[in-house]
Amino acid sequence: MTNDELRIVEVADPDTIRRIQRLRAECWMTTGLPATVFPDGQWRDPGEEKPPFRHWAAFAGA
């Protein structure tokens, strides 16, 4: 995949932010951290659901 095939955007909608939080947890669990570290299956930073936190994501397709 080349950069022309990725769309990098700032995201603010709660559903996409929850998906990012789940992806973080899934990735960290592959390192051997126990699932109990992520009791709800998400990795959240304190207060990240509201400004001034910003989230960026890469999506397939231009």
Side-chain angles (χ1 to χ4, degrees):
M1 185 174 283
T2 68
N3 286 342
D4 293 339
E5 296 170 336
L6 290 178
R7 185 172 42 97
I8 301 171
V9 296
E10 184 172 9
V11 294
D13 66 280
D15 184 54
T16 302
I17 292 171
R18 280 190 295 274
R19 290 171 44 209
I20 290 169
Q21 293 166 337
R22 282 193 303 271
L23 178 62
R24 288 180 194 156
E26 290 172 15
C27 292
W28 278 105
M29 282 190 272
T30 66
T31 69
L33 286 174
T36 55
V37 174
F38 314 102
D40 60 357
Q42 297 178 331
W43 177 290
R44 288 189 194 101
D45 290 321
E48 76 174 310
E49 282 88 5
K50 52 190 173 229
F53 276 81
R54 298 175 74 182
H55 295 85
W56 298 87
F59 297 94

